[in-house]
Amino acid sequence: MSQAEGEVRTPAAGGALVPLGQVERRDDWADLRSAIRLFKRGRPVLVTAVVMVVAQVIWRAQFLSHMYFLREDFFNSDLAAESHLGWRYLTYVGAGHFMVGERLIIWLLVRISLYDWHLAMAMTLACTLAAGLAALKMLRTLFGERPVILLLLAFYLLTPLTVSSLGWWTEALESIPLQIAIFMAVDAQVRFVRTGAGRQFAAALSWVIFGLIFFEKALVLPLLLLAVSVFLEPGGSWLAGARRVLRRYWRLWLAYVAVLIGYAIVFAVALGTSSVRPHAPASLGAVVTFSWGLLKDTLLPGALGGPWHWYPLPGNWYAIAATPREFQWIAVAVAIFVVAASIWRRGNAWQAWAIFAGWLVLADMLPVIVSRLTIYPLLYALDTHYVADAMPVLVLCLGLAFLPVPDPLAGRAGPVPADRHRLRQGGEQAWRTTAAALFAVFVIGSVWSAQDYSRLMTGSPAAIYIAFGTAEIRQAPSGSPVLDSAVPPDVSYQAADNRASRVIGDAVPGHVRWIAKPYGTIDGLRVLAANGLLEKVWVYGTSSGPAAHGGCWPERNGTVRIKFLQPSPYFTTLVRIGYIWGSSAAGTVAVKFGAITRLLPVVPGLHTAYLPVSGSVTGMSVSGISGGSLCVGDAEAGRPAPQVSGHTTARS
């Protein structure tokens, strides 16, 4: 007699089956254990899959806990903080991507709390959780709730190729929603093909639009859905299947085309705000170097659990793949073996690999080739974030290549291997052993690669700069002059507006007086150091040394001539003058620095003045002194930087 769901065998009933609701409840814990056992007995694959997804989120949270905002993150946050929510802001491209959804999320989050990494991390982890559940949903829809889908899910959850984009908030908000869109659009498309339900039609179209809102790579998504639909079409050639699918579901494809045309028009208009325009690559050799390098050095090793080693960029805020050369060729050999084995086992598996190749070329290679491939093509090839979005497609194609697709309506599996391709029992066992070994290598390599990346990366320098910088500016006296210096490389977006007034000024608006180019008398000028502390400004390069005549450089015929201890360096941009103007009224003097003569306003008393200059000179002169006496005590020429003698805030 079989045990029905909702019944348990109890000693009190002599081992007979009784309804769960009639079981004598000895304690609450016994009820809980019984319920858990029943739940697990009914849906072990689903329970295991959910646990895997949650475990991955916890693991990624550990990695993100020591990361922070970087580069584009600050630029996009500052842009959101300074912009009204409107079409012009949402469609702004700049040097990045067309990402309406991402800009909306950033705008909302900065209104809650600017530079709040915990808030940003929570958003990233929520997207990660959604992506894992979306992957599970697609796998269950395509291949059924079978234990084998746990292997495909684990491949997606563990792959190291998504780690670098996860740690870069801007990239995470582009890549992860696109991954969600891929999984959910394929899920809805398969359900629509199987049932023809109008709500699945709407769902598939909506998920394509969702992907386009976050990343222009989703332009390729309808082609992916077409290819998957053709793969599921039984019998005939691929071309014949494509004709049948296009004819049968013509309304859906027409809707996709309409969406793509509308998106392309908006995208073309938005490119007017972009600093990166489509252009031809530097050479055909650059295209080959990038494409082959992305495949051999990054994608294939990553699919096997690599790259195993990383090359960190200066500042340890990001790293690119550094796969050992021997492992690169091992990965290529394994990839060839896997593809060949799948085609031997299932005659139509080549279609799955053609689908993946199409995505890789159109979505991951072509955008880089037409926009960025001017110099250093190999460096772009080693950047794993370019293929992060390819992982959902690879999971999909691995399943299509090796697993039969059940058709719940027909009560049979979809495309099945031909009899001539069936393996004998011994061969099947050997294949399973090989597959298990490859999966074990992937798991070990993935954990190693991800942990190695986590060990190398840190967001501490940027986090320290933001924390101390905002605190220092907030505590400085209102209206204090602060040199608007460039932010450190870990924070810098490497753009014309990577200034402290924007990054820190947006966090503490209007409290201090930011000075981009010091000119005239400015006492107590401070500058934010790389650690975020507010220090006195000093001009480093050359100085006049101690002055004679009671601490003042001598004046002859209304002119003060100052000599430097050594010529000013070629990078000189500023001269600082310490002076006393002995008059009850303000005046003006002329400062001659090489071939440059500039007027300098002076005010009564002991002060510090600055003038923008350039060039290498051995000295300078101050003339036009009338209506008062001028004592020049010292002068320095060079570039401004924080004084290294010790920390002194504007309060000191």
Side-chain angles (χ1 to χ4, degrees):
M1 178 179 179
S2 62
Q3 181 174 339
E5 184 176 358
E7 296 180 328
V8 293
R9 197 179 301 275
T10 64
L17 295 174
V18 297
L20 183 60
Q22 298 179 11
V23 175
E24 180 182 357
R25 291 172 172 81
R26 296 187 177 183
D27 56 68
D28 292 338
W29 289 108
D31 288 345
L32 179 60
R33 288 194 296 269
S34 297
I36 292 175
R37 282 198 299 271
L38 283 173
F39 183 72
K40 288 183 176 180
R41 188 179 301 121
R43 309 292 290 274
V45 172
L46 181 61
V47 171
T48 303
V50 172
V51 170
M52 289 168 59
V53 171
V54 173
Q56 186 236 14
V57 172
I58 296 174
W59 186 29
R60 298 310 191 201
Q62 181 272 333
F63 162 61
L64 290 176
S65 64
H66 64 266
M67 296 299 291
Y68 195 66
F69 301 105
L70 52 92
R71 306 220 167 187
E72 280 101 335
D73 299 343
F74 289 105
F75 174 81
N76 290 324
S77 296
D78 295 332
L79 180 65
E82 299 167 3
S83 302
H84 297 291
L85 184 60
W87 188 246
R88 182 177 181 180
Y89 161 73
L90 291 174
T91 58
Y92 178 81
V93 177
H97 300 281
F98 187 56
M99 45 193 188
V100 176
E102 181 181 5
R103 296 217 179 276
L104 177 60
I105 290 175
I106 295 174
W107 192 91
L108 294 173
L109 292 187
V110 300
R111 292 301 181 281
I112 299 173
S113 181
L114 181 63
Y115 306 146
D116 189 332
W117 180 243
H118 291 96
L119 185 61
M121 188 172 75
M123 174 59 68
T124 302
L125 292 176
C127 292
T128 302
L129 176 63
L133 295 177
L136 172 60
K137 181 175 174 60
M138 185 202 73
L139 292 173
R140 289 177 64 216
T141 297
L142 266 173
F143 308 112
E145 196 170 307
R146 297 184 290 162
V148 69
I149 69 171
L150 297 178
L151 301 181
L152 295 173
L153 180 62
F155 180 87
Y156 172 68
L157 298 178
L158 292 176
T159 177
L161 295 180
T162 59
V163 175
S164 63
S165 60
L166 183 73
W168 190 338
W169 192 50
T170 295
E171 296 295 335
L173 290 184
E174 290 176 350
S175 180
I176 302 177
L178 176 59
Q179 295 172 41
I180 296 172
I182 293 171
F183 286 130
M184 296 302 294
V186 170
D187 176 83
Q189 181 76 18
V190 171
R191 290 174 182 270
F192 173 70
V193 168
R194 288 174 174 174
T195 66
R199 61 188 181 88
Q200 299 301 337
F201 177 110
L205 187 63
S206 298
W207 283 114
V208 170
I209 296 173
F210 177 84
L212 289 170
I213 287 174
F214 281 91
F215 209 164
E216 63 269 14
K217 282 188 177 184
L219 284 165
V220 188
L221 187 50
L223 293 178
L224 174 66
L225 300 181
L226 173 62
V228 172
S229 301
V230 174
F231 187 93
L232 299 178
E233 184 73 11
S237 66
W238 203 5
L239 184 59
R243 286 197 296 266
R244 290 196 300 270
V245 166
L246 288 171
R247 184 171 58 253
R248 186 179 307 148
Y249 311 115
W250 65 270
R251 291 182 179 86
L252 180 61
W253 308 121
L254 188 62
Y256 284 148
V257 170
V259 167
L260 295 184
I261 292 175
Y263 181 86
I265 294 173
V266 175
F267 185 34
V269 174
L271 280 178
T273 65
S274 176
S275 59
V276 178
R277 302 295 179 88
H279 55 75
S283 65
L284 180 60
V287 174
V288 173
T289 298
F290 166 72
S291 303
W292 175 237
L294 189 68
L295 186 67
K296 176 178 70 74
D297 301 344
T298 303
L299 178 65
L300 296 183
L304 200 59
W308 302 285
H309 295 288
W310 304 87
Y311 180 79
L313 301 183
N316 289 68
W317 59 273
Y318 193 74
I320 57 178
T323 310
R325 183 171 298 275
E326 58 275 16
F327 287 173
Q328 296 172 7
W329 292 109
I330 291 175
V332 171
V334 170
I336 294 173
F337 167 76
V338 170
V339 171
S342 67
I343 295 174
W344 183 38
R345 288 170 55 86
R346 298 173 54 79
N348 64 339
W350 69 269
Q351 298 178 9
W353 300 120
I355 293 173
F356 179 68
W359 179 275
L360 185 65
V361 172
L362 296 178
D364 296 331
M365 292 182 177
L366 187 60
V368 180
I369 291 172
V370 301
S371 64
R372 301 180 183 273
L373 213 59
T374 54
I375 57 174
Y376 308 127
L378 186 57
L379 288 182
Y380 287 107
L382 300 179
D383 194 341
T384 57
H385 94 268
Y386 286 122
V387 291
D389 59 90
M391 293 303 98
V393 184
L394 182 55
V395 169
L396 166 68
C397 294
L398 276 170
L400 294 178
F402 284 99
L403 303 178
V405 180
D407 186 347
L409 299 180
R412 60 174 176 80
V416 296
D419 290 340
R420 60 188 176 90
H421 290 138
R422 295 183 184 275
L423 298 177
R424 295 189 301 271
Q425 187 64 32
E428 181 69 16
Q429 185 60 40
W431 164 247
R432 291 181 178 179
T433 302
T434 303
L438 288 176
F439 184 74
V441 169
F442 167 78
V443 171
I444 296 172
S446 296
V447 173
W448 174 277
S449 297
Q451 289 300 106
D452 190 52
Y453 190 92
S454 178
R455 178 184 61 83
L456 292 172
M457 295 300 100
T458 178
S460 295
I464 290 172
Y465 177 81
I466 296 298
F468 280 107
T470 53
E472 291 280 273
I473 295 298
R474 189 174 287 114
Q475 296 175 30
S478 180
S480 298
V482 179
L483 180 65
D484 190 13
S485 58
V487 296
D490 303 290
V491 178
S492 171
Y493 176 60
Q494 295 182 335
D497 52 358
N498 64 343
R499 317 303 296 178
S501 62
R502 192 164 197 215
V503 177
I504 302 297
D506 283 342
V508 191
H511 187 68
V512 299
R513 181 164 55 100
W514 296 97
I515 299 175
K517 296 181 179 180
Y519 171 75
T521 298
I522 307 173
D523 294 319
L525 183 62
R526 266 40 177 196
V527 63
L528 287 171
N531 57 7
L533 297 180
L534 201 55
E535 305 283 5
K536 289 182 178 179
V537 169
W538 193 254
V539 177
Y540 289 91
T542 188
S543 67
S544 62
H549 304 283
C552 299
W553 284 89
E555 175 189 342
R556 292 186 178 89
N557 300 322
T559 300
V560 177
R561 300 187 184 279
I562 304 114
K563 292 185 178 181
F564 294 131
L565 296 176
Q566 56 188 13
S568 58
Y570 70 92
F571 55 74
T572 295
T573 59
L574 192 68
V575 63
R576 174 194 175 275
I577 303 172
Y579 74 89
I580 301 176
W581 178 242
S583 174
S584 59
T588 302
V589 297
V591 178
K592 189 174 188 302
F593 188 93
I596 302 172
T597 300
R598 293 184 179 276
L599 295 180
L600 173 65
V602 291
V603 294
L606 174 63
H607 299 284
T608 300
Y610 300 89
L611 277 177
V613 295
S614 62
S616 179
V617 300
T618 58
M620 54 183 285
S621 64
V622 181
S623 60
I625 302 171
S626 61
S629 61
L630 180 68
C631 170
V632 177
D634 66 303
E636 296 80 33
R639 282 188 176 178
Q643 190 172 2
V644 297
S645 58
H647 171 51
T648 54
T649 68
R651 303 181 299 278
S652 59

